[in-house]
Amino acid sequence: MLSMTIDGKPAETFETFDVVNPATGKVAATAPECTPAQLDEAMASAAHAFTTWRTDDGVRRQALRDLADAVEARHDELVALLVKETGKPLAVAAGEVASVGPWIRYYAELEWPHKVIQDDETALIEVAHRPMGVVAAITPWNGPVGMWSWKIAPALRGGNTVVLKPSPFTPLSTLLLGEIGASVLPPGVINIVTGGDALGKLMTAHPTPRKVSFTGSIGGGRSVAVSAAQDLKRVTLELGGNDAAIILDDADIPVAAATLFAFSMFNCGQICCIPKRIFVPSSRYEEVVEAFAAAAAATKTGDPTDPTTTMGPLTTKPQLDRVSELVADAVDNGARVVAGGKPVEGAGYFFEPTVFADVAEGFRIVDEEQFGPAIPLLKYETVEEAVQRANATEYGLSGSVWSKNVARAKAVAEQLECGTAWVNCHAMLPSNAPFSGAKHSGVGVANGEDGLLSFTEQQVVHTARG
Ligand code: NAD
């Protein structure tokens, strides 16, 4: 069994919980259940490591380069664990693991901003950024390896140490990352603890961390914000989305439809920032419906370890139940089923790639984040109406606009109320672009230079002259 990593060492396991392989529905492994005393040890270790780790940025940069190399050296093992615990097809899991090395190196090489805002005979005023302390990091089940790197790389470069908890559904790859981290980093710089939501609550309420970096559901984020408010911990919350993609009437329909379908089904629809509501002009509606139906028919759902599979199962049983419920609601309320519409019979949490036409606001599949392989196509008459409907939601993560006329599409994209607006693409997440959610989709910023700064405290150094 894989161990937790506390203070640079494997931690003793007292109790365990089961991890299910979603492709079979069977228990595939067990994982250690962190005790409250072990969480205290992890926090104390991180606090102790911080006193040294914070001091030398050159050491940190080199350690991050070493960490990137160490992760890459264990690529195949990480991919195998990720497939086993999430059900991602091999190529998708390999892509996620391969993203980690470059992500960490981006932060290793990023130049630390140091701003001089006044330099004259009266004063030298500089704005610096200092490490915060211990970071409590909490990740979801849909991208455990990628989310690990999104948190670890900027937190460590910023001079902080980390206690990180993955989702109890997918702890295995993160446990291995803990072992890998311990092989190249000083003890306590990254501690990995595993357990359920209750452990996450203990982390956010714990007196040691100065920041909580949380990725997960809006409900989870709200609870973290309330808990962290007690001692004014800083928070970054990366939460759910219900992305609108607006196809304009002059779009290249075959390209737009194929790309949007592929993204909406990517990782079995379980990505925060993929298209979840597609707005289609009535003049091109049936064309788009046909293109989505053809793309769904070409999807190969099945065993994620088969290299020809393009879509695996949903990752958790509760998520399978939730998607089944939203799809049944749409069917019961008269949506036109263009493709799919039901779970795949047999073992595992498989669901047919599903496309709905003749749906609108008021259907749960439109109003709520489905986080699964079921995409609604919504008909609109005017662009103003499409924008208004796209924005009529508490979500505000991202969105996209599609047109051959880039200037026109960009003008529409700028009206979307969301953290990232894409033009003729969707879900593009380079390490140098800040990523944030508007409205209920998040608080604070991840990624890019802003993401690094979010793991620091700003300090003005004002030196009097004259
Ligand atoms: P979740 O909120 O149920 O759990 C996420 C993590 O938080 C898990 O590790 C869980 O154990 C822990 N947790 C749950 N409740 C907690 C609490 N009250 N206090 C502390 N920790 C708690 O979310 P999930 O179902 O694992 O993930 C799916 C959601 O994550 C979707 O809504 C998706 O859109 C969102 N997500 C957002 C982003 C982003 O960058 N915006 C990225 C990936 C996923």
Side-chain angles (χ1 to χ4, degrees), residues 138-142 147 150 165-168 196-197 200-201 204 214-217 220 223-224 238-241 272 276 369 371 397 435:
I138 299 174
T139 57
W141 45 258
N142 65 323
M147 290 297 113
W150 278 31
K165 185 194 93 66
S167 165
D197 298 355
K201 288 185 185 167
T204 58
F214 174 89
T215 302
S217 60
S223 156
V224 168
E238 299 167 36
L239 308 178
C272 54
K276 291 173 181 158
E369 182 188 34
F371 221 57
L397 192 55
F435 183 58

PDB file of all heavy atoms in Angstrom, residues 138-142 147 150 165-168 196-197 200-201 204 214-217 220 223-224 238-241 272 276 369 371 397 435, ligand 1:
ATOM      1  N   ILE A 138      -5.948  21.564  -1.009  1.00  0.00           N
ATOM      2  CA  ILE A 138      -6.992  20.524  -1.085  1.00  0.00           C
ATOM      3  C   ILE A 138      -7.409  20.384  -2.550  1.00  0.00           C
ATOM      4  O   ILE A 138      -7.754  21.385  -3.197  1.00  0.00           O
ATOM      5  CB  ILE A 138      -8.194  20.921  -0.204  1.00  0.00           C
ATOM      6  CG1 ILE A 138      -7.743  21.051   1.260  1.00  0.00           C
ATOM      7  CG2 ILE A 138      -9.316  19.891  -0.325  1.00  0.00           C
ATOM      8  CD1 ILE A 138      -8.803  21.580   2.209  1.00  0.00           C
ATOM      9  N   THR A 139      -7.350  19.156  -3.071  1.00  0.00           N
ATOM     10  CA  THR A 139      -7.606  18.960  -4.503  1.00  0.00           C
ATOM     11  C   THR A 139      -8.815  18.042  -4.757  1.00  0.00           C
ATOM     12  O   THR A 139      -9.175  17.235  -3.902  1.00  0.00           O
ATOM     13  CB  THR A 139      -6.356  18.367  -5.206  1.00  0.00           C
ATOM     14  OG1 THR A 139      -6.004  17.135  -4.570  1.00  0.00           O
ATOM     15  CG2 THR A 139      -5.186  19.313  -5.156  1.00  0.00           C
ATOM     16  N   PRO A 140      -9.410  18.149  -5.945  1.00  0.00           N
ATOM     17  CA  PRO A 140     -10.583  17.332  -6.308  1.00  0.00           C
ATOM     18  C   PRO A 140     -10.155  16.052  -7.035  1.00  0.00           C
ATOM     19  O   PRO A 140      -8.961  15.837  -7.275  1.00  0.00           O
ATOM     20  CB  PRO A 140     -11.340  18.251  -7.253  1.00  0.00           C
ATOM     21  CG  PRO A 140     -10.251  18.990  -7.965  1.00  0.00           C
ATOM     22  CD  PRO A 140      -9.105  19.132  -6.990  1.00  0.00           C
ATOM     23  N   TRP A 141     -11.138  15.241  -7.442  1.00  0.00           N
ATOM     24  CA  TRP A 141     -10.825  13.938  -8.028  1.00  0.00           C
ATOM     25  C   TRP A 141     -10.681  13.975  -9.545  1.00  0.00           C
ATOM     26  O   TRP A 141     -10.274  12.989 -10.145  1.00  0.00           O
ATOM     27  CB  TRP A 141     -11.882  12.897  -7.644  1.00  0.00           C
ATOM     28  CG  TRP A 141     -13.326  13.340  -7.765  1.00  0.00           C
ATOM     29  CD1 TRP A 141     -14.139  13.724  -6.742  1.00  0.00           C
ATOM     30  CD2 TRP A 141     -14.124  13.447  -8.951  1.00  0.00           C
ATOM     31  NE1 TRP A 141     -15.385  14.070  -7.213  1.00  0.00           N
ATOM     32  CE2 TRP A 141     -15.395  13.907  -8.574  1.00  0.00           C
ATOM     33  CE3 TRP A 141     -13.877  13.204 -10.309  1.00  0.00           C
ATOM     34  CZ2 TRP A 141     -16.426  14.135  -9.499  1.00  0.00           C
ATOM     35  CZ3 TRP A 141     -14.900  13.441 -11.229  1.00  0.00           C
ATOM     36  CH2 TRP A 141     -16.146  13.893 -10.824  1.00  0.00           C
ATOM     37  N   ASN A 142     -11.028  15.077 -10.185  1.00  0.00           N
ATOM     38  CA  ASN A 142     -11.070  15.017 -11.659  1.00  0.00           C
ATOM     39  C   ASN A 142      -9.708  15.188 -12.321  1.00  0.00           C
ATOM     40  O   ASN A 142      -9.531  14.786 -13.462  1.00  0.00           O
ATOM     41  CB  ASN A 142     -12.065  16.041 -12.212  1.00  0.00           C
ATOM     42  CG  ASN A 142     -11.647  17.460 -11.935  1.00  0.00           C
ATOM     43  OD1 ASN A 142     -11.101  17.768 -10.872  1.00  0.00           O
ATOM     44  ND2 ASN A 142     -11.879  18.346 -12.879  1.00  0.00           N
ATOM     45  N   MET A 147      -3.734  19.006 -10.692  1.00  0.00           N
ATOM     46  CA  MET A 147      -4.060  19.943  -9.603  1.00  0.00           C
ATOM     47  C   MET A 147      -2.954  19.982  -8.541  1.00  0.00           C
ATOM     48  O   MET A 147      -2.706  21.012  -7.934  1.00  0.00           O
ATOM     49  CB  MET A 147      -5.395  19.557  -8.955  1.00  0.00           C
ATOM     50  CG  MET A 147      -6.602  19.811  -9.837  1.00  0.00           C
ATOM     51  SD  MET A 147      -6.806  21.559 -10.217  1.00  0.00           S
ATOM     52  CE  MET A 147      -6.477  21.560 -11.948  1.00  0.00           C
ATOM     53  N   TRP A 150      -0.486  22.375  -9.939  1.00  0.00           N
ATOM     54  CA  TRP A 150      -0.999  23.752  -9.929  1.00  0.00           C
ATOM     55  C   TRP A 150      -0.796  24.390  -8.548  1.00  0.00           C
ATOM     56  O   TRP A 150      -0.634  25.591  -8.430  1.00  0.00           O
ATOM     57  CB  TRP A 150      -2.499  23.768 -10.255  1.00  0.00           C
ATOM     58  CG  TRP A 150      -2.811  23.693 -11.723  1.00  0.00           C
ATOM     59  CD1 TRP A 150      -2.086  23.072 -12.693  1.00  0.00           C
ATOM     60  CD2 TRP A 150      -3.957  24.260 -12.378  1.00  0.00           C
ATOM     61  NE1 TRP A 150      -2.710  23.210 -13.904  1.00  0.00           N
ATOM     62  CE2 TRP A 150      -3.853  23.924 -13.749  1.00  0.00           C
ATOM     63  CE3 TRP A 150      -5.055  24.991 -11.940  1.00  0.00           C
ATOM     64  CZ2 TRP A 150      -4.803  24.321 -14.686  1.00  0.00           C
ATOM     65  CZ3 TRP A 150      -6.022  25.379 -12.880  1.00  0.00           C
ATOM     66  CH2 TRP A 150      -5.888  25.050 -14.232  1.00  0.00           C
ATOM     67  N   LYS A 165      -3.939  17.554   0.633  1.00  0.00           N
ATOM     68  CA  LYS A 165      -4.873  16.421   0.709  1.00  0.00           C
ATOM     69  C   LYS A 165      -5.591  16.245  -0.632  1.00  0.00           C
ATOM     70  O   LYS A 165      -6.273  17.160  -1.082  1.00  0.00           O
ATOM     71  CB  LYS A 165      -5.932  16.689   1.784  1.00  0.00           C
ATOM     72  CG  LYS A 165      -6.861  15.505   2.002  1.00  0.00           C
ATOM     73  CD  LYS A 165      -8.102  15.880   2.812  1.00  0.00           C
ATOM     74  CE  LYS A 165      -9.276  16.269   1.943  1.00  0.00           C
ATOM     75  NZ  LYS A 165      -9.813  15.186   1.117  1.00  0.00           N
ATOM     76  N   PRO A 166      -5.468  15.067  -1.246  1.00  0.00           N
ATOM     77  CA  PRO A 166      -6.249  14.818  -2.462  1.00  0.00           C
ATOM     78  C   PRO A 166      -7.658  14.360  -2.101  1.00  0.00           C
ATOM     79  O   PRO A 166      -7.965  14.104  -0.928  1.00  0.00           O
ATOM     80  CB  PRO A 166      -5.470  13.678  -3.125  1.00  0.00           C
ATOM     81  CG  PRO A 166      -4.874  12.916  -1.974  1.00  0.00           C
ATOM     82  CD  PRO A 166      -4.594  13.934  -0.881  1.00  0.00           C
ATOM     83  N   SER A 167      -8.492  14.198  -3.102  1.00  0.00           N
ATOM     84  CA  SER A 167      -9.841  13.662  -2.884  1.00  0.00           C
ATOM     85  C   SER A 167      -9.750  12.204  -2.416  1.00  0.00           C
ATOM     86  O   SER A 167      -8.895  11.446  -2.892  1.00  0.00           O
ATOM     87  CB  SER A 167     -10.631  13.728  -4.192  1.00  0.00           C
ATOM     88  OG  SER A 167     -11.776  12.908  -4.092  1.00  0.00           O
ATOM     89  N   PRO A 168     -10.643  11.796  -1.517  1.00  0.00           N
ATOM     90  CA  PRO A 168     -10.621  10.385  -1.097  1.00  0.00           C
ATOM     91  C   PRO A 168     -10.952   9.417  -2.238  1.00  0.00           C
ATOM     92  O   PRO A 168     -10.664   8.229  -2.152  1.00  0.00           O
ATOM     93  CB  PRO A 168     -11.706  10.330  -0.003  1.00  0.00           C
ATOM     94  CG  PRO A 168     -12.557  11.529  -0.221  1.00  0.00           C
ATOM     95  CD  PRO A 168     -11.672  12.576  -0.832  1.00  0.00           C
ATOM     96  N   GLY A 196     -11.033  11.787   4.115  1.00  0.00           N
ATOM     97  CA  GLY A 196     -12.263  12.318   3.532  1.00  0.00           C
ATOM     98  C   GLY A 196     -12.442  13.815   3.732  1.00  0.00           C
ATOM     99  O   GLY A 196     -11.509  14.531   4.115  1.00  0.00           O
ATOM    100  N   ASP A 197     -13.684  14.266   3.497  1.00  0.00           N
ATOM    101  CA  ASP A 197     -13.974  15.697   3.613  1.00  0.00           C
ATOM    102  C   ASP A 197     -13.695  16.199   5.039  1.00  0.00           C
ATOM    103  O   ASP A 197     -13.296  17.352   5.227  1.00  0.00           O
ATOM    104  CB  ASP A 197     -15.439  15.965   3.263  1.00  0.00           C
ATOM    105  CG  ASP A 197     -15.764  15.583   1.824  1.00  0.00           C
ATOM    106  OD1 ASP A 197     -14.843  15.202   1.073  1.00  0.00           O
ATOM    107  OD2 ASP A 197     -16.960  15.657   1.458  1.00  0.00           O
ATOM    108  N   GLY A 200     -10.333  17.445   5.360  1.00  0.00           N
ATOM    109  CA  GLY A 200     -10.228  18.778   4.744  1.00  0.00           C
ATOM    110  C   GLY A 200     -10.701  19.863   5.708  1.00  0.00           C
ATOM    111  O   GLY A 200     -10.089  20.933   5.821  1.00  0.00           O
ATOM    112  N   LYS A 201     -11.785  19.566   6.413  1.00  0.00           N
ATOM    113  CA  LYS A 201     -12.307  20.557   7.382  1.00  0.00           C
ATOM    114  C   LYS A 201     -11.296  20.782   8.503  1.00  0.00           C
ATOM    115  O   LYS A 201     -11.106  21.922   8.954  1.00  0.00           O
ATOM    116  CB  LYS A 201     -13.637  20.068   7.958  1.00  0.00           C
ATOM    117  CG  LYS A 201     -14.758  20.154   6.944  1.00  0.00           C
ATOM    118  CD  LYS A 201     -16.093  19.775   7.565  1.00  0.00           C
ATOM    119  CE  LYS A 201     -17.162  19.765   6.490  1.00  0.00           C
ATOM    120  NZ  LYS A 201     -18.395  19.151   6.848  1.00  0.00           N
ATOM    121  N   THR A 204      -8.568  23.148   7.187  1.00  0.00           N
ATOM    122  CA  THR A 204      -8.899  24.572   7.035  1.00  0.00           C
ATOM    123  C   THR A 204      -9.095  25.239   8.397  1.00  0.00           C
ATOM    124  O   THR A 204      -8.892  26.440   8.540  1.00  0.00           O
ATOM    125  CB  THR A 204     -10.155  24.778   6.171  1.00  0.00           C
ATOM    126  OG1 THR A 204     -11.246  24.077   6.772  1.00  0.00           O
ATOM    127  CG2 THR A 204      -9.950  24.262   4.778  1.00  0.00           C
ATOM    128  N   PHE A 214      -7.824  25.808  -2.394  1.00  0.00           N
ATOM    129  CA  PHE A 214      -8.848  24.765  -2.526  1.00  0.00           C
ATOM    130  C   PHE A 214      -9.352  24.704  -3.960  1.00  0.00           C
ATOM    131  O   PHE A 214      -9.677  25.739  -4.554  1.00  0.00           O
ATOM    132  CB  PHE A 214     -10.012  25.111  -1.587  1.00  0.00           C
ATOM    133  CG  PHE A 214     -11.220  24.200  -1.727  1.00  0.00           C
ATOM    134  CD1 PHE A 214     -11.320  23.036  -0.980  1.00  0.00           C
ATOM    135  CD2 PHE A 214     -12.251  24.516  -2.603  1.00  0.00           C
ATOM    136  CE1 PHE A 214     -12.424  22.191  -1.105  1.00  0.00           C
ATOM    137  CE2 PHE A 214     -13.363  23.684  -2.742  1.00  0.00           C
ATOM    138  CZ  PHE A 214     -13.442  22.520  -1.981  1.00  0.00           C
ATOM    139  N   THR A 215      -9.445  23.520  -4.508  1.00  0.00           N
ATOM    140  CA  THR A 215     -10.127  23.324  -5.790  1.00  0.00           C
ATOM    141  C   THR A 215     -11.199  22.269  -5.583  1.00  0.00           C
ATOM    142  O   THR A 215     -10.910  21.175  -5.082  1.00  0.00           O
ATOM    143  CB  THR A 215      -9.145  22.873  -6.885  1.00  0.00           C
ATOM    144  OG1 THR A 215      -8.120  23.857  -7.005  1.00  0.00           O
ATOM    145  CG2 THR A 215      -9.846  22.745  -8.224  1.00  0.00           C
ATOM    146  N   GLY A 216     -12.413  22.610  -5.954  1.00  0.00           N
ATOM    147  CA  GLY A 216     -13.509  21.661  -5.773  1.00  0.00           C
ATOM    148  C   GLY A 216     -14.846  22.324  -6.052  1.00  0.00           C
ATOM    149  O   GLY A 216     -14.947  23.288  -6.827  1.00  0.00           O
ATOM    150  N   SER A 217     -15.859  21.816  -5.389  1.00  0.00           N
ATOM    151  CA  SER A 217     -17.230  22.264  -5.654  1.00  0.00           C
ATOM    152  C   SER A 217     -17.508  23.625  -4.998  1.00  0.00           C
ATOM    153  O   SER A 217     -16.790  24.033  -4.068  1.00  0.00           O
ATOM    154  CB  SER A 217     -18.206  21.233  -5.094  1.00  0.00           C
ATOM    155  OG  SER A 217     -17.995  21.108  -3.691  1.00  0.00           O
ATOM    156  N   GLY A 220     -18.226  23.093  -1.291  1.00  0.00           N
ATOM    157  CA  GLY A 220     -16.984  22.882  -0.543  1.00  0.00           C
ATOM    158  C   GLY A 220     -16.247  24.205  -0.353  1.00  0.00           C
ATOM    159  O   GLY A 220     -15.748  24.507   0.737  1.00  0.00           O
ATOM    160  N   SER A 223     -17.779  26.380   2.329  1.00  0.00           N
ATOM    161  CA  SER A 223     -17.449  25.876   3.665  1.00  0.00           C
ATOM    162  C   SER A 223     -16.004  26.240   4.032  1.00  0.00           C
ATOM    163  O   SER A 223     -15.712  26.641   5.171  1.00  0.00           O
ATOM    164  CB  SER A 223     -17.682  24.364   3.678  1.00  0.00           C
ATOM    165  OG  SER A 223     -16.933  23.736   4.649  1.00  0.00           O
ATOM    166  N   VAL A 224     -15.084  26.135   3.074  1.00  0.00           N
ATOM    167  CA  VAL A 224     -13.676  26.495   3.319  1.00  0.00           C
ATOM    168  C   VAL A 224     -13.572  27.986   3.658  1.00  0.00           C
ATOM    169  O   VAL A 224     -12.862  28.374   4.590  1.00  0.00           O
ATOM    170  CB  VAL A 224     -12.814  26.166   2.076  1.00  0.00           C
ATOM    171  CG1 VAL A 224     -11.428  26.802   2.181  1.00  0.00           C
ATOM    172  CG2 VAL A 224     -12.699  24.656   1.897  1.00  0.00           C
ATOM    173  N   GLU A 238     -10.856  27.643  -6.323  1.00  0.00           N
ATOM    174  CA  GLU A 238     -11.107  27.362  -7.744  1.00  0.00           C
ATOM    175  C   GLU A 238     -12.292  26.413  -7.773  1.00  0.00           C
ATOM    176  O   GLU A 238     -12.176  25.254  -7.388  1.00  0.00           O
ATOM    177  CB  GLU A 238      -9.893  26.701  -8.383  1.00  0.00           C
ATOM    178  CG  GLU A 238      -8.645  27.547  -8.349  1.00  0.00           C
ATOM    179  CD  GLU A 238      -7.418  26.724  -8.707  1.00  0.00           C
ATOM    180  OE1 GLU A 238      -7.519  25.836  -9.554  1.00  0.00           O
ATOM    181  OE2 GLU A 238      -6.366  26.969  -8.116  1.00  0.00           O
ATOM    182  N   LEU A 239     -13.429  26.928  -8.241  1.00  0.00           N
ATOM    183  CA  LEU A 239     -14.683  26.176  -8.039  1.00  0.00           C
ATOM    184  C   LEU A 239     -15.314  25.766  -9.372  1.00  0.00           C
ATOM    185  O   LEU A 239     -14.683  25.821 -10.418  1.00  0.00           O
ATOM    186  CB  LEU A 239     -15.611  27.017  -7.165  1.00  0.00           C
ATOM    187  CG  LEU A 239     -14.965  27.508  -5.851  1.00  0.00           C
ATOM    188  CD1 LEU A 239     -15.926  28.375  -5.065  1.00  0.00           C
ATOM    189  CD2 LEU A 239     -14.447  26.356  -5.002  1.00  0.00           C
ATOM    190  N   GLY A 240     -16.550  25.391  -9.302  1.00  0.00           N
ATOM    191  CA  GLY A 240     -17.214  24.819 -10.474  1.00  0.00           C
ATOM    192  C   GLY A 240     -17.526  25.849 -11.548  1.00  0.00           C
ATOM    193  O   GLY A 240     -17.440  27.057 -11.349  1.00  0.00           O
ATOM    194  N   GLY A 241     -17.900  25.341 -12.712  1.00  0.00           N
ATOM    195  CA  GLY A 241     -18.268  26.211 -13.825  1.00  0.00           C
ATOM    196  C   GLY A 241     -19.456  25.634 -14.578  1.00  0.00           C
ATOM    197  O   GLY A 241     -19.792  24.451 -14.431  1.00  0.00           O
ATOM    198  N   CYS A 272     -13.568  21.385 -14.981  1.00  0.00           N
ATOM    199  CA  CYS A 272     -14.296  22.585 -14.548  1.00  0.00           C
ATOM    200  C   CYS A 272     -14.602  23.530 -15.704  1.00  0.00           C
ATOM    201  O   CYS A 272     -15.672  24.122 -15.762  1.00  0.00           O
ATOM    202  CB  CYS A 272     -13.499  23.309 -13.465  1.00  0.00           C
ATOM    203  SG  CYS A 272     -11.804  23.691 -13.961  1.00  0.00           S
ATOM    204  N   LYS A 276     -20.279  23.555 -21.312  1.00  0.00           N
ATOM    205  CA  LYS A 276     -21.358  22.809 -20.636  1.00  0.00           C
ATOM    206  C   LYS A 276     -22.737  23.246 -21.130  1.00  0.00           C
ATOM    207  O   LYS A 276     -23.737  22.599 -20.825  1.00  0.00           O
ATOM    208  CB  LYS A 276     -21.223  22.966 -19.119  1.00  0.00           C
ATOM    209  CG  LYS A 276     -19.971  22.236 -18.611  1.00  0.00           C
ATOM    210  CD  LYS A 276     -19.637  22.437 -17.165  1.00  0.00           C
ATOM    211  CE  LYS A 276     -18.356  21.670 -16.821  1.00  0.00           C
ATOM    212  NZ  LYS A 276     -17.663  22.140 -15.657  1.00  0.00           N
ATOM    213  N   GLU A 369     -24.271  22.558 -13.082  1.00  0.00           N
ATOM    214  CA  GLU A 369     -23.044  21.996 -13.660  1.00  0.00           C
ATOM    215  C   GLU A 369     -23.205  20.475 -13.734  1.00  0.00           C
ATOM    216  O   GLU A 369     -23.299  19.808 -12.705  1.00  0.00           O
ATOM    217  CB  GLU A 369     -21.833  22.333 -12.784  1.00  0.00           C
ATOM    218  CG  GLU A 369     -20.529  21.805 -13.365  1.00  0.00           C
ATOM    219  CD  GLU A 369     -19.327  21.962 -12.432  1.00  0.00           C
ATOM    220  OE1 GLU A 369     -19.488  21.869 -11.207  1.00  0.00           O
ATOM    221  OE2 GLU A 369     -18.217  22.160 -12.957  1.00  0.00           O
ATOM    222  N   PHE A 371     -21.057  18.153 -15.076  1.00  0.00           N
ATOM    223  CA  PHE A 371     -19.797  17.457 -14.791  1.00  0.00           C
ATOM    224  C   PHE A 371     -19.881  16.001 -15.260  1.00  0.00           C
ATOM    225  O   PHE A 371     -19.601  15.052 -14.521  1.00  0.00           O
ATOM    226  CB  PHE A 371     -19.485  17.533 -13.291  1.00  0.00           C
ATOM    227  CG  PHE A 371     -18.024  17.800 -13.001  1.00  0.00           C
ATOM    228  CD1 PHE A 371     -17.388  18.920 -13.514  1.00  0.00           C
ATOM    229  CD2 PHE A 371     -17.271  16.939 -12.214  1.00  0.00           C
ATOM    230  CE1 PHE A 371     -16.045  19.181 -13.249  1.00  0.00           C
ATOM    231  CE2 PHE A 371     -15.932  17.187 -11.945  1.00  0.00           C
ATOM    232  CZ  PHE A 371     -15.328  18.307 -12.466  1.00  0.00           C
ATOM    233  N   LEU A 397     -16.929  30.864 -14.579  1.00  0.00           N
ATOM    234  CA  LEU A 397     -15.550  30.383 -14.714  1.00  0.00           C
ATOM    235  C   LEU A 397     -14.962  30.793 -16.062  1.00  0.00           C
ATOM    236  O   LEU A 397     -13.998  31.540 -16.134  1.00  0.00           O
ATOM    237  CB  LEU A 397     -15.503  28.861 -14.526  1.00  0.00           C
ATOM    238  CG  LEU A 397     -14.106  28.262 -14.360  1.00  0.00           C
ATOM    239  CD1 LEU A 397     -13.348  28.916 -13.216  1.00  0.00           C
ATOM    240  CD2 LEU A 397     -14.180  26.759 -14.155  1.00  0.00           C
ATOM    241  N   PHE A 435      -5.697  32.278 -14.062  1.00  0.00           N
ATOM    242  CA  PHE A 435      -6.969  31.558 -14.189  1.00  0.00           C
ATOM    243  C   PHE A 435      -7.786  31.843 -12.941  1.00  0.00           C
ATOM    244  O   PHE A 435      -7.324  31.603 -11.820  1.00  0.00           O
ATOM    245  CB  PHE A 435      -6.670  30.058 -14.323  1.00  0.00           C
ATOM    246  CG  PHE A 435      -7.883  29.195 -14.543  1.00  0.00           C
ATOM    247  CD1 PHE A 435      -8.716  29.399 -15.629  1.00  0.00           C
ATOM    248  CD2 PHE A 435      -8.189  28.172 -13.656  1.00  0.00           C
ATOM    249  CE1 PHE A 435      -9.825  28.600 -15.839  1.00  0.00           C
ATOM    250  CE2 PHE A 435      -9.298  27.355 -13.853  1.00  0.00           C
ATOM    251  CZ  PHE A 435     -10.119  27.582 -14.955  1.00  0.00           C
TER     252      PHE A 435
HETATM  253  P1  NAD B   1     -15.531  18.581  -3.581  1.00  0.00           P
HETATM  254  O1  NAD B   1     -15.772  19.991  -3.151  1.00  0.00           O
HETATM  255  O2  NAD B   1     -16.524  17.555  -3.177  1.00  0.00           O
HETATM  256  O3  NAD B   1     -14.143  18.058  -2.996  1.00  0.00           O
HETATM  257  C1  NAD B   1     -12.893  18.666  -3.343  1.00  0.00           C
HETATM  258  C2  NAD B   1     -11.886  18.390  -2.234  1.00  0.00           C
HETATM  259  O4  NAD B   1     -12.291  19.098  -1.063  1.00  0.00           O
HETATM  260  C3  NAD B   1     -11.780  16.928  -1.803  1.00  0.00           C
HETATM  261  O5  NAD B   1     -10.428  16.671  -1.462  1.00  0.00           O
HETATM  262  C4  NAD B   1     -12.686  16.866  -0.582  1.00  0.00           C
HETATM  263  O6  NAD B   1     -12.357  15.804   0.309  1.00  0.00           O
HETATM  264  C5  NAD B   1     -12.444  18.225   0.046  1.00  0.00           C
HETATM  265  N1  NAD B   1     -13.567  18.789   0.807  1.00  0.00           N
HETATM  266  C6  NAD B   1     -14.894  18.609   0.600  1.00  0.00           C
HETATM  267  N2  NAD B   1     -15.609  19.361   1.470  1.00  0.00           N
HETATM  268  C7  NAD B   1     -14.697  20.044   2.219  1.00  0.00           C
HETATM  269  C8  NAD B   1     -14.817  20.995   3.270  1.00  0.00           C
HETATM  270  N3  NAD B   1     -16.004  21.380   3.731  1.00  0.00           N
HETATM  271  N4  NAD B   1     -13.689  21.515   3.789  1.00  0.00           N
HETATM  272  C9  NAD B   1     -12.467  21.150   3.330  1.00  0.00           C
HETATM  273  N5  NAD B   1     -12.299  20.233   2.344  1.00  0.00           N
HETATM  274  C10 NAD B   1     -13.403  19.689   1.796  1.00  0.00           C
HETATM  275  O7  NAD B   1     -15.332  18.632  -5.151  1.00  0.00           O
HETATM  276  P2  NAD B   1     -15.111  17.386  -6.131  1.00  0.00           P
HETATM  277  O8  NAD B   1     -16.433  16.727  -6.324  1.00  0.00           O
HETATM  278  O9  NAD B   1     -13.937  16.578  -5.687  1.00  0.00           O
HETATM  279  O10 NAD B   1     -14.642  18.137  -7.475  1.00  0.00           O
HETATM  280  C11 NAD B   1     -15.519  18.489  -8.495  1.00  0.00           C
HETATM  281  C12 NAD B   1     -15.736  19.991  -8.506  1.00  0.00           C
HETATM  282  O11 NAD B   1     -14.474  20.650  -8.592  1.00  0.00           O
HETATM  283  C13 NAD B   1     -16.529  20.461  -9.706  1.00  0.00           C
HETATM  284  O12 NAD B   1     -17.480  21.406  -9.311  1.00  0.00           O
HETATM  285  C14 NAD B   1     -15.467  21.127 -10.585  1.00  0.00           C
HETATM  286  O13 NAD B   1     -15.986  22.099 -11.461  1.00  0.00           O
HETATM  287  C15 NAD B   1     -14.547  21.686  -9.558  1.00  0.00           C
HETATM  288  N6  NAD B   1     -13.218  21.950 -10.119  1.00  0.00           N
HETATM  289  C16 NAD B   1     -12.824  23.259 -10.283  1.00  0.00           C
HETATM  290  C17 NAD B   1     -11.590  23.541 -10.855  1.00  0.00           C
HETATM  291  C18 NAD B   1     -11.126  24.962 -11.054  1.00  0.00           C
HETATM  292  O14 NAD B   1      -9.931  25.164 -11.296  1.00  0.00           O
HETATM  293  N7  NAD B   1     -11.999  25.966 -10.985  1.00  0.00           N
HETATM  294  C19 NAD B   1     -10.750  22.497 -11.248  1.00  0.00           C
HETATM  295  C20 NAD B   1     -11.183  21.183 -11.069  1.00  0.00           C
HETATM  296  C21 NAD B   1     -12.423  20.925 -10.487  1.00  0.00           C
END
